[in-house]
Amino acid sequence: MQGNEACAYAAVVAGCRFFAGYPITPSSEIFEVMARELPRVGGVCIQMEDEIASIMAAIGASWAGLKSMTATSGPGIALMAEAVGYAAMTETPLVIVDVQRAGPATGVPTKPSQGDIMEIRWLSNGDYEIVAMYPWSVQEVVDLTIRAFNLAEEFRVPTILLMDGTLAHLHEKVAIPSEDDVRLVNRPKPSSPPEEYMPYKPSSYLVPPMASFGDGYRTRCEGLAHDYQGMPTSSPDVYEELVRRLCDKIRLNSHRIAQLKYYFLDDAEVAILAYGTMARIMYAAIRELRDEGERIGLIRPITIWPLPEELSDLMSEMKKVLVVEMNYGQLVREIERLTDRKRVVFCPWLRLEFPCLEEAKAMIRRHLHAG
Amino acid sequence: MRGKQHPLDDYIRYWMLPTIWCPGCGNGIVLQALARALKELGLRKEEVVLVCGIGCSGRMAMYLDVDTAHTLHGRAIPFAIGVKLAKPHLKVIVVGGDGDLMAIGCSHLIHAARRNVEITTIMINNGVYAMTGGQVAPTTPHGVKTTTTPYGNLEEPFNAVSLMATSGAVYVARWTVAHPIQLKESIKKAMLKEGFSFIEVISTCPTMYGKFIGLNDPASMIRHLKKISIIKSHVDPSKAIIDWNNLIVCGEFIDREREGFTRRIRRCVNEARGADRR
Ligand SMILES: Cc1ncc(C[n+]2csc(CCOP(=O)(O)OP(=O)(O)O)c2C)c(N)n1
Ligand code: SF4
Ligand SMILES: [Mg+2]
């Protein structure tokens, strides 16, 4: 099964019952599978007139109580920017899949890239946090799609699953779990009586319980800065508390959200830092180079946003950190902030296909033995 | 804050009053007509969702005491579609301005009518972008000076009634805020239709548009609307003229039957499930 299909099947297992989309290469198979599968489980899949309408419909469906998703690629994400800010402000549980293709603009639609790392982080005006994860195999697409729904629900936050054109179309054996075999999380529900319900009053972990439309609570989805009741305000105190909370509910819970994996670091002097499909290629190259005697290892952030805090400690042990990305310098800037800049070497790859094993080895060797 | 005392208090967040609207603004008349319509239809508040765009008119979402969404500029309709498809038993109403629904959100409006999603859309046409300070709107008549057309508007306005009629809405009507009773009855009728219903309300914005056309006190604006509007039923939508100087044609222009979108979805789901069982 290919990455896109796996993502769609996993979404259904995760409880997704609403999908709205607009076709775009290389993400369309997600939409096509959802169009076939959702009606079978009583869900709804609709093609909207553009990506703005798609994400807004998904937000509306989420407020009506359904786990909702949309999928697109860089240009579509760009159109969704304002609505992602709206989802963040209204604390809407929502999963957005971004299958990256070469940009900017229409770019090279059929070719992969990792060029949306900053786009997805800084989509909207204002201060807010999102969650983004990037798998490196089709099986991990399944696992992280389910996790994306769980995090979106638990933290009431737009959660982005990143892929790229290669992973989206990569065929691998996968196990799609049944609903009974996975832990599914649902948004926190109010426990107070309807008369006392305040739609934006936070719980102990900073996330407000969410009543859906039609539940008999009086609730409000409000994109203006709002108080606990959801009523617009320009009070500096209320504004500051709200914006801090929108950020802090992710920042202060990042130990529960952020994930990374590392490989061969025990004896390593140099770490390669890469994510998603690029990390997988680096892993193969590192294994072969280690057989040749190079003392190198791999650090792979799985959540890109928020970045795992352990990164700093891991990097501090290394003489050098080679950051390999399929873009012209995105996550590397963030990595430089987390460690001594002098340690960081950036290795951009802009060749429209991921490097093959030999190219990857050559790239690492070149940087290992330079200067 | 006053206590509960008005017959419509059940449907209005009276503790939020007074509204932010200027004295003489037509938005309040629309709010009242909407609240009365809900009351007379006997709808329970938890059955109704109001979805608004951004603009003075969008602030309706603060005052009607049902579940409400105050969305983004122009994006009320796709949000409302998501709500309706997720919970088809809810009655979903969209309220937006003429800029909101006919400029930035125009494609959503057209496609919602084409799909025949069971949503009632009330467009408050005050001829201008009011909230942002009186800029030209796609409904502003030719020649009117606004803050962004200081030499007069070079463009022709949209006729929303005609656009909605050709796009497939099952119910299309126009009233002015000088027709509160007809407006209320029309909202009731629209909400009972199976499919996309659209009501245009020609409204008074004495603060912006009124000033531009030399009618800057609310009473003279309402009197003017009364004088120039005529009610004609079922005229050809392309002849539903809005001429702020001489004639505004009001009435019901379209009232037809067409299968609603959520009914089709329900059938599709049943067929997909039936195929699986076989
Ligand atoms: C994307 C975006 N662009 C512009 C605005 C600024 N804006 C707010 S309301 C408005 C126009 C309002 O006009 P209309 O829809 O006619 O509503 P009215 O205030 O007249 O009721 C605009 C342009 C915005 N909020 N969002
Ligand atoms: S500016 Fe115009 S539309 Fe806005 S509240 Fe005042 S009168 Fe009403
Ligand atoms: Mg207007």
Side-chain angles (χ1 to χ4, degrees):
Chain A
M1 186 182 291
Q2 57 163 242
N4 276 345
E5 292 167 317
C7 174
Y9 286 112
V12 175
V13 172
C16 177
R17 290 297 176 269
F18 187 89
F19 184 100
Y22 190 83
I24 184 168
T25 303
S27 75
S28 298
E29 294 85 358
I30 299 173
F31 190 176
E32 288 161 9
V33 174
M34 290 308 254
R36 199 177 59 226
E37 293 303 315
L38 276 182
R40 291 176 151 165
V41 294
V44 178
C45 182
I46 182 171
Q47 180 164 328
M48 297 299 287
E49 51 275 15
D50 57 32
E51 286 86 349
I52 301 174
S54 303
I55 186 168
M56 288 306 290
I59 294 171
S62 184
W63 273 84
L66 297 188
K67 292 189 183 179
S68 303
M69 171 162 127
T70 183
T72 184
S73 185
I77 289 280
L79 280 183
M80 292 181 183
E82 189 193 15
V84 169
Y86 184 68
M89 184 61 133
T90 56
E91 302 184 66
T92 305
L94 175 69
V95 174
I96 304 158
V97 184
D98 175 15
V99 185
Q100 298 167 95
R101 65 190 225 180
T106 313
V108 189
T110 55
K111 296 295 181 185
S113 125
Q114 299 186 314
D116 300 358
I117 300 300
M118 286 298 169
E119 183 194 25
I120 55 150
R121 174 62 187 89
W122 299 112
L123 280 164
S124 174
N125 50 322
D127 293 289
Y128 63 97
E129 297 276 340
I130 47 116
V131 173
M133 294 179 287
Y134 196 163
W136 76 345
S137 68
V138 180
Q139 184 62 54
E140 209 173 63
V141 168
V142 172
D143 302 342
L144 293 185
T145 300
I146 295 169
R147 186 159 195 262
F149 277 95
N150 286 348
L151 292 173
E153 292 283 317
E154 181 172 3
F155 293 98
R156 292 187 59 180
V157 68
T159 299
I160 297 169
L161 185 81
L162 286 164
M163 288 201 261
D164 53 66
T166 299
L167 182 58
H169 295 136
L170 179 71
H171 281 266
E172 287 188 297
K173 267 216 173 90
V174 288
I176 308 276
S178 79
E179 268 173 53
D180 305 329
D181 296 334
V182 287
R183 189 185 72 99
L184 294 183
V185 178
N186 292 313
R187 59 195 67 177
K189 284 279 159 205
S191 50
S192 56
E195 316 79 73
E196 286 164 30
Y197 177 59
M198 291 206 247
Y200 296 91
K201 185 159 187 256
S203 67
S204 58
Y205 73 112
L206 299 180
V207 181
M210 185 173 187
S212 300
F213 290 160
D215 276 0
Y217 292 78
R218 202 69 68 240
T219 192
R220 298 204 69 238
C221 179
E222 178 58 80
L224 288 168
H226 45 262
D227 59 19
Y228 288 170
Q229 296 281 8
M231 287 303 169
T233 175
S234 45
S235 144
D237 290 343
V238 178
Y239 174 77
E240 178 165 0
E241 185 188 331
L242 173 66
V243 170
R244 280 177 182 266
R245 188 174 63 72
L246 291 179
C247 296
D248 288 346
K249 72 176 179 181
I250 303 303
R251 291 182 192 171
L252 301 181
N253 288 307
S254 87
H255 57 286
R256 290 169 56 200
I257 298 169
Q259 286 182 330
L260 63 69
K261 286 205 168 146
Y262 52 84
Y263 312 83
F264 316 118
L265 283 194
D266 285 349
D267 63 348
E269 293 175 344
V270 172
I272 312 275
L273 190 146
Y275 47 83
T277 307
M278 185 64 89
R280 183 148 169 199
I281 294 157
M282 289 299 131
Y283 178 86
I286 289 166
R287 268 188 21 186
E288 296 202 357
L289 288 170
R290 285 178 63 85
D291 289 344
E292 294 169 18
E294 303 284 8
R295 292 168 67 180
I296 52 177
L298 176 67
I299 303 176
R300 173 170 81 101
I302 295 173
T303 39
I304 307 297
W305 307 113
L307 269 179
E309 279 164 23
E310 303 158 77
L311 274 175
S312 290
D313 283 349
L314 289 175
M315 290 192 290
S316 69
E317 311 279 310
M318 300 294 137
K319 279 197 188 135
K320 262 192 204 176
V321 177
L322 306 189
V323 179
V324 186
E325 302 182 78
M326 196 167 186
N327 59 47
Y328 203 31
Q330 297 201 11
L331 199 65
V332 63
R333 297 185 188 170
E334 205 65 18
I335 299 300
E336 281 173 349
R337 293 178 349 133
L338 297 176
T339 191
D340 179 2
R341 269 185 84 145
K342 292 199 283 296
R343 188 179 281 133
V344 178
V345 180
F346 178 50
C347 314
W349 182 262
L350 290 167
R351 304 298 305 159
L352 293 179
E353 296 291 354
F354 282 96
C356 69
L357 189 56
E358 288 312 314
E359 287 169 326
K361 277 159 57 181
M363 170 165 46
I364 298 172
R365 270 198 211 103
R366 199 164 58 241
H367 288 286
L368 276 183
H369 304 295
Chain B
M1 185 169 118
R2 64 177 179 83
K4 194 166 155 174
Q5 52 191 227
H6 190 275
L8 286 178
D9 276 356
D10 265 351
Y11 289 86
I12 305 274
R13 297 192 174 114
Y14 54 85
W15 57 94
M16 294 294 295
L17 300 178
T19 69
I20 63 155
W21 297 319
C22 313
C25 175
N27 289 340
I29 298 175
V30 180
L31 171 63
Q32 179 158 160
L34 180 54
R36 280 187 199 280
L38 297 182
K39 188 169 180 178
E40 290 178 19
L41 284 172
L43 289 168
R44 286 180 301 125
K45 289 195 281 186
E46 51 273 24
E47 294 174 84
V48 181
V49 177
L50 174 67
V51 183
C52 291
I54 298 292
C56 295
S57 34
R59 294 297 179 112
M60 197 84 59
M62 278 156 66
Y63 306 120
L64 196 73
D65 192 26
V66 297
D67 289 339
T68 58
H70 193 201
T71 63
L72 294 170
H73 190 33
R75 315 302 170 198
I77 286 193
F79 184 105
I81 289 177
V83 173
K84 184 68 188 178
L85 301 192
K87 281 200 176 149
H89 67 278
L90 294 177
K91 293 273 181 199
V92 181
I93 304 160
V94 167
V95 172
D98 43 350
D100 191 88
L101 288 166
M102 302 241 70
I104 191 166
C106 192
S107 76
H108 308 314
L109 180 67
I110 294 168
H111 286 283
R114 177 181 65 81
R115 291 186 185 104
N116 205 27
V117 191
E118 298 89 332
I119 290 172
T120 297
T121 294
I122 301 172
M123 183 179 94
I124 301 186
N125 178 355
N126 53 13
V128 74
Y129 283 32
M131 174 147 272
T132 39
Q135 296 84 3
V136 72
T139 48
T140 309
H142 176 218
V144 173
K145 288 185 181 166
T146 71
T147 55
T148 48
T149 53
Y151 304 105
N153 182 16
L154 304 181
E155 304 175 15
E156 293 295 329
F158 254 133
N159 184 333
V161 160
S162 162
L163 179 68
M164 285 294 91
T166 42
S167 302
V170 291
Y171 180 85
V172 180
R174 176 191 292 145
W175 306 101
T176 78
V177 290
H179 302 97
I181 305 294
Q182 291 92 331
L183 173 60
K184 177 202 69 183
E185 290 301 322
S186 189
I187 295 172
K188 281 160 65 181
K189 199 160 165 186
M191 288 187 64
L192 295 173
K193 293 294 293 183
E194 173 173 333
F196 190 80
S197 49
F198 179 84
I199 301 172
E200 178 180 21
V201 188
I202 309 296
S203 183
T204 48
C205 169
T207 311
M208 301 292 164
Y209 189 69
K211 200 173 64 194
F212 298 151
I213 60 167
L215 292 169
N216 44 8
D217 82 285
S220 56
M221 256 194 127
I222 297 264
R223 265 199 303 276
H224 180 72
L225 282 179
K226 274 205 164 125
K227 195 173 86 200
I228 62 166
S229 53
I230 58 164
I231 301 175
K232 270 196 187 171
S233 259
H234 302 287
V235 296
D236 177 350
S238 67
K239 306 217 164 61
I241 290 164
I242 303 185
D243 170 356
W244 272 86
N245 292 323
N246 302 302
L247 177 66
I248 295 180
V249 180
C250 297
E252 290 176 345
F253 302 96
I254 298 284
D255 184 358
R256 60 189 163 200
E257 306 303 321
R258 199 151 77 82
E259 189 174 44
F261 191 61
T262 62
R263 186 193 291 270
R264 289 194 177 176
I265 288 188
R266 211 158 47 237
R267 207 167 46 233
C268 167
V269 165
N270 288 340
E271 279 165 15
R273 291 185 141 166
D276 278 352
R277 261 178 245 121
R278 253 178 265 131

